[in-house]
Amino acid sequence: MKKEKNYKKNIRSYKKDIRIKPSIDKSLKEVFDKIGTPPKQPFKPDPFQIEALEAIEKYDCLVTVPTGSGKTWIAKETIRKNLKVNKRTWYASPLKALTNNIYAGFVEDFGKENVGILTGDRKENPDAPIIVGTTEILRNQLYDAMYSGGNIKVDFVVLDEAHYLGDEDRGVVWEEVLIYLNPRISILMLSATVGNADQIAAWLFSIRKKKCVVIEESKRIVPLFPLFFSPTGFIAPLIDKKKPDKLSKNAFYYTKNKERTFKEQGLPNFGDILLALKKFNLLPAIFFLKSRADCDAAINLCSTKILDEEPDKKEKLKEKVAELIEKYPYLSDHKQRYVLENMAVASHHSGQLPIWKIIVETLMNEGVIDAIFATSTVAAGVNFPARTVFLINSDRFNGHDFVPLDATQLQQMTGRAGRRGMDNIGFAAFMPEKFMDLRLVAKLVKASPTNILSQIKINFSMVLNLLLSHNVTQIKNILESSFASFLISTLKKKKRKTFNENPSYIWQDFMHHFEFLKKEGFVGKDNRLTKDGMWASNLRIDAPLLVAEGLRKNCFPTNDPALLAALMTTFVNERDYSDEKFDSDKINDELYYTIEVTKKKLEPLMKKMKQAGFSANNLYISPAYTIYKWVKGEEWDQLVKDSGLADGDLTRLIMRVSDNLRHIKALRESFPEIAKTASISIETLMREPVVSYYD
């Protein structure tokens, strides 16, 4: 009853005056008549799937086809063939959540004894013939193999969501993997959105001397129909049937009268929108919203009416929720449980606990909830299809500003519309709210995906690891094999400015890092790693130099797991705490003193780094104190309240700290006592509700 009262209180604060009366343009009747489930029939691979299977037997292969077309089937069939002849596979994905999903599916397909998982915080069956893991772990294994002078024990590598090669923050990892992999290892790259596949294939051939076959298919298995959804509930085609590059007359009218039509009124009435979608059999739906706050607010705008005529479904939903939550008692009083059970909707974003998101995903995939309100993270490879994708904004937050969507981003979202084997047709609905540019989305829906550009950048960890196994001349040759170098040498001059006017900028950046390492004693006069440089190369983290300096200056406690975990938190670049305010009287004296002493000891190196143009952590106290309390045993709800962090943000911070500590643990030969304490810190950090979703 308390949850119901809280819900009603929230919904009153958001409810709009505008009421939706659902109706459709008469031209949609023929389209909507196609809605339904196709008849079940034996699986028959598509021509592009057969073509890819044949190509990967001899060559590398880049497959770029729409979401839901069956890219993973190609990987599975190749893995199946390899397993029969004792060949080993490494399946790399960009997200831990996606990696966990793939692992679960592979265990079912190939047997638990044949599949292992490596994600940094999860290590199971690492010697299995099929390994599923994050791309960073694969890159690290390649570093280790180069150092040992051997080869990574794998015959076939799958790079899922290969468009991450162009990701501003993490694309460098994909590029490194492609450069370091021995040509004897076949590569299968999978993506729904690659605009310059031939260019990437040509680069791979230039560095691997092995043909890379491009398999492209633009036709969706389940056709996509773009809809215009007016604020009154009137639904019409988005695009003019006779002029595919123009808006339909209804969409054009609302665009023309946008200033008169829209006021700053917040979110639309999603309860009425869902009832309209239900009336025309357009559910389940994924609503992509621009922020976590919008996602959480949206579910409070929904209505219990959605389940009024389906008591059996409502009962089944409650039973299923109870069954799932029984495994995770912490979630029994989750603040969004009432909405989930009574309105068949949920929000899904990075601010939530991973275990809650998995429950939502499970319910959606089993068809017992009607809609989720999500940020764009759902579009990034999570298996989360629906009949309709619904957008009210044509921009997205890139971490700094709100910028217009590009073709790749929109197609990643709309790719979730229409489920193979479950839908005859999928829909992308666009509602003309204040931040919706209908002309833009109409143009992007059928536009070619944007080109992927190199995101390679030099960092200290990369330099240290390359110096482990290569001399400076060899490293120069490696960097000249980069995708950036290839693009610079092949693109026309006016396009080179995307990277740098100077073709040798990558090498110059490497030498800048190299000379700094030399001055700080990590590289010797012989241009090889010193003893300190050797162990520091194992610190594949955000701030390897500062942590290494902390180890050299004995900043880290050797027998206090909570204090060590707290100190390692100061080196995690998870968010900006520059405006942090805290009461020093409330913070543990030993922790405060230790951080201040560490700051003083590291200040000379931090100053030199900044003078040389490198970034250096500011060693914030408030996140360190949060982690300190968690290791000391504080309850989760109280920790969330005290820290001011969302559940998901706090989980991610703990994961990142644990990852830093794992790299300290790896230094057991050079720093045995600290390594042992790091191991204890990790065990204490990784407890419910942070890790219970592995069960």
Side-chain angles (χ1 to χ4, degrees), residues 115-179:
V115 188
I117 183 169
L118 299 172
T119 63
D121 53 281
R122 191 176 183 189
K123 182 178 181 180
E124 296 177 23
N125 203 10
D127 297 319
I130 304 167
I131 295 295
V132 182
T134 53
T135 314
E136 280 81 359
I137 299 296
L138 175 57
R139 189 274 313 272
N140 291 345
Q141 288 193 350
L142 289 169
Y143 278 155
D144 294 337
M146 289 189 294
Y147 172 57
S148 66
N151 289 315
I152 186 172
K153 294 180 179 179
V154 66
D155 304 288
F156 175 53
V157 166
V158 182
L159 291 177
D160 200 359
E161 304 296 327
H163 55 274
Y164 265 78
L165 176 64
D167 184 83
E168 184 177 351
D169 296 320
R170 299 172 63 201
V172 58
V173 178
W174 269 254
E175 192 160 340
E176 283 188 90
V177 166
L178 290 166
I179 293 171

Side-chain angles (χ1 to χ4, degrees), residues 4 15 117 168 177 197 295 346 407 410 511 572 628 675:
E4 185 174 359
K15 189 172 285 187
I117 183 169
E168 184 177 351
V177 166
C295 293
L410 183 67
M511 289 305 298
V572 172
Y628 181 83

Side-chain angles (χ1 to χ4, degrees), residues 3-16 267-272 274 289 292-304 335-340 343 345-347 373:
K3 290 181 182 178
E4 185 174 359
K5 287 181 179 178
N6 287 340
Y7 161 71
K8 289 180 177 177
K9 180 181 178 182
N10 287 335
I11 196 171
R12 280 197 296 270
S13 66
Y14 288 110
K15 189 172 285 187
K16 303 287 179 274
L267 295 172
N269 192 317
F270 287 114
D272 283 357
L274 279 171
L289 305 181
R292 300 173 183 178
D294 280 357
C295 293
D296 291 338
I299 63 173
N300 288 318
L301 287 167
C302 295
S303 167
T304 55
K335 58 188 176 183
Q336 293 182 0
R337 182 176 179 178
Y338 174 82
V339 172
L340 177 62
M343 282 154 247
V345 300
S347 68
F373 297 86

Side-chain angles (χ1 to χ4, degrees), residues 435-541:
F435 299 104
M436 169 59 73
D437 183 342
L438 290 177
R439 287 190 179 92
L440 174 65
V441 295
K443 179 182 176 182
L444 296 180
V445 163
K446 295 185 178 180
S448 299
T450 49
N451 287 352
I452 288 175
L453 300 177
S454 172
Q455 300 297 334
I456 194 166
K457 54 180 74 73
I458 306 300
N459 56 59
F460 285 115
S461 181
M462 180 196 294
V463 175
L464 288 166
N465 278 278
L466 286 174
L467 286 168
L468 265 177
S469 49
H470 300 83
N471 60 41
V472 174
T473 302
Q474 291 170 326
I475 293 172
K476 186 174 184 180
N477 292 332
I478 289 174
L479 296 178
E480 287 175 351
S481 298
S482 69
F483 188 35
S485 295
F486 177 82
L487 291 172
I488 289 169
S489 65
T490 57
L491 289 177
K492 292 180 179 179
K493 187 175 181 180
K494 66 178 181 179
K495 291 187 178 180
R496 291 182 185 178
K497 292 181 180 180
T498 306
F499 306 99
N500 194 296
E501 293 261 16
N502 183 355
S504 62
Y505 81 98
I506 300 171
W507 174 243
Q508 291 175 357
D509 196 17
F510 171 84
M511 289 305 298
H512 184 45
H513 285 75
F514 175 80
E515 293 298 336
F516 191 86
L517 288 170
K518 207 168 186 178
K519 288 178 182 177
E520 296 307 313
F522 294 99
V523 176
K525 293 180 180 179
D526 59 355
N527 290 344
R528 296 185 178 277
L529 294 181
T530 61
K531 184 179 179 181
D532 284 353
M534 294 286 285
W535 57 256
S537 67
N538 285 288
L539 297 171
R540 296 157 186 167
I541 55 180

Side-chain angles (χ1 to χ4, degrees), residues 96 235 498:
K96 287 182 180 179
I235 307 172
T498 306

